[in-house]
Amino acid sequence: MAEDGLKDALLKRRKHDQKGRILPSKENYHRQQPQNQTSLNPPPISGVQLSLKQVAIFLAIYLAIGTICFFLVRDQISGRKTNGILDSMYFCVVTMTTVGYGDLVPETNFAKLLACVFVFMGMGLGGFALSKAADYIVEKEEIIVVKAMHIHDACGLNEILNEAERYKVKYKFLTVLILIAFLAIVGTVFLSIFENMTFFDAFYCVCATITTLGYGDKSFSSSRGRLFAVFWILMSTISLAQMFVYLVELWTESRQRRLVDWVLHRKLTIQDIEKADLDNDKRVSPAEYVVYKLKEMGLVSEQLIMNVMEGFNDLDVDHSGTLTVNDVSD
């Protein structure tokens, strides 16, 4: 129960940070805004915003269509076969994740063309869908990792939430690393018991699968093995890909933190004062200092600042150098 409370609190805080502020009610919003003014909500960064549920539906449709298509051409696919439907679903997953064991291969030109179509579709749709799902799972569970790492510390709810927010990428990386280790153990044990492999061969097959090498000398050959593989391959391959994404983010964030620390604590020079003095009045205001430091950290560019200032000048209709209610209500 306590862990659920921590998860809910963390998610609420992130939602609040994403919103930035509490929006007024619909009635108050229309009362405060002119009738001809458009919505103040910014447009989304990307053209399409899909929820986890929508992505899961698209993935299910893809797998269903792929399974049906490969089932219809099952006679044009050679290799070790168990059950028609199960083999088709297994072949669809192996194709989408680019594992490609080689235990099932298309023989005719039509089957090869179909496999080519589904591999490109799968790499796009499947990668996006599964990465979104993995990110959602990691975000839900990362608070448990934070709590476990500080289990001997007298940390309250706020301290744990602040720790999770400050080092969010770090804990996501650790969480997905733990998930990969768990999946590798489960896969190794399963292959050893149900596919009659030695422990070393099972571990070798696991590594060849999650890295999508798929040599083909070791693979899932039984019905229950392929049923397990349909879900296990999806989870393990995308978890590894997600781990490398977080690793790159962690390295980038570490460099950014070092740069910010250097910028904030280095001694200012006369040249810095001259560069920060945007209005050339021989004095640096707090706003000018903030802008200069943000530029030095690489968080804003000179062109972006100029664009913002042009927008300010357009709104400042009375050319007073400040914005008032009269400026935005005209």
Side-chain angles (χ1 to χ4, degrees):
M1 294 298 292
E3 291 174 354
D4 292 338
L6 290 173
K7 293 180 192 175
D8 294 339
L10 180 61
L11 292 176
K12 287 180 180 178
R13 172 176 291 192
R14 286 181 180 166
K15 288 179 180 178
H16 176 74
D17 292 341
Q18 290 171 357
K19 291 179 181 178
R21 60 183 178 88
I22 299 176
L23 296 176
S25 64
K26 185 176 181 180
E27 293 78 6
N28 291 337
Y29 177 82
H30 288 295
R31 189 183 305 124
Q32 294 172 4
Q33 304 300 323
Q35 294 297 322
N36 61 348
Q37 187 169 348
T38 59
S39 173
L40 296 179
N41 293 330
I45 299 299
S46 61
V48 179
Q49 295 291 328
L50 297 177
S51 66
L52 180 63
K53 182 178 179 180
Q54 292 173 318
V55 168
I57 292 174
F58 285 133
L59 177 60
I61 293 174
Y62 169 85
L63 291 175
I65 295 176
T67 301
I68 294 173
C69 290
F70 290 124
F71 178 77
L72 294 176
V73 297
R74 63 189 181 279
D75 294 334
Q76 304 176 38
I77 297 176
S78 63
R80 291 174 298 195
K81 298 182 179 180
T82 57
N83 176 275
I85 294 293
L86 185 58
D87 288 344
S88 300
M89 184 180 298
Y90 168 76
F91 183 73
C92 185
V93 170
V94 169
T95 301
M96 181 183 70
T97 56
T98 68
V99 171
Y101 288 121
D103 50 353
L104 293 174
V105 294
E107 284 192 327
T108 65
N109 290 336
F110 179 75
K112 292 176 181 178
L113 179 62
L114 191 64
C116 291
V117 171
F118 272 89
V119 72
F120 282 109
M121 290 177 59
M123 289 178 67
L125 175 61
F128 176 72
L130 295 174
S131 64
K132 193 173 184 66
D135 194 57
Y136 174 79
I137 294 172
V138 168
E139 189 171 89
K140 290 283 287 183
E141 299 302 326
E142 66 172 301
I143 193 67
I144 299 178
V145 177
V146 181
K147 186 177 180 181
M149 294 182 66
H150 298 278
I151 192 170
H152 298 296
D153 302 333
C155 296
L157 174 61
N158 289 333
E159 287 80 3
I160 292 178
L161 291 178
N162 290 332
E163 176 80 2
E165 284 296 318
R166 185 179 181 185
Y167 299 103
K168 180 168 58 176
V169 178
K170 170 186 173 182
Y171 289 116
K172 282 187 174 184
F173 172 76
L174 291 175
T175 303
V176 78
L177 184 62
I178 294 172
L179 179 60
I180 290 173
F182 172 76
L183 290 171
I185 293 173
V186 170
T188 303
V189 172
F190 183 91
L191 287 168
S192 299
I193 297 175
F194 297 102
E195 295 292 335
N196 299 320
M197 295 185 187
T198 64
F199 179 82
F200 186 83
D201 284 343
F203 180 72
Y204 163 77
C205 182
V206 164
C207 294
T209 301
I210 64 177
T211 56
T212 70
L213 283 173
Y215 289 122
D217 51 342
K218 301 294 180 181
S219 62
F220 298 87
S221 56
S222 66
S223 296
R224 56 188 172 185
R226 289 183 175 178
L227 179 62
F228 170 81
V230 166
F231 302 98
W232 181 82
I233 291 176
L234 288 173
M235 295 179 62
S236 59
T237 53
I238 198 59
S239 293
L240 184 66
Q242 200 71 8
M243 185 193 72
F244 285 115
V245 171
Y246 290 144
L247 183 62
V248 173
E249 288 184 11
L250 189 63
W251 178 74
T252 304
E253 186 181 81
S254 176
R255 288 190 59 192
Q256 184 65 30
R257 286 182 183 276
R258 290 197 299 269
L259 175 60
V260 169
D261 184 70
W262 177 80
V263 169
L264 292 178
H265 295 92
R266 76 178 185 85
K267 185 178 179 180
L268 289 179
T269 64
I270 297 177
Q271 289 77 13
D272 291 324
I273 299 298
E274 293 175 349
K275 292 178 181 178
D277 184 16
L278 298 178
D279 55 6
N280 298 316
D281 62 352
K282 306 302 181 182
R283 291 177 297 181
V284 176
S285 66
E288 290 175 326
Y289 178 80
V290 170
V291 169
Y292 179 69
K293 286 297 181 181
L294 290 176
K295 287 171 54 182
E296 198 172 19
M297 294 174 191
L299 300 178
V300 296
S301 63
E302 187 74 32
Q303 184 61 48
L304 180 60
I305 295 173
M306 295 301 297
N307 292 340
V308 173
M309 289 304 300
E310 288 178 4
F312 178 89
N313 293 332
D314 292 339
L315 292 172
D316 185 18
V317 293
D318 58 2
H319 304 291
S320 63
T322 58
L323 294 181
T324 63
V325 175
N326 294 331
D327 291 323
V328 296
S329 60
D330 291 342

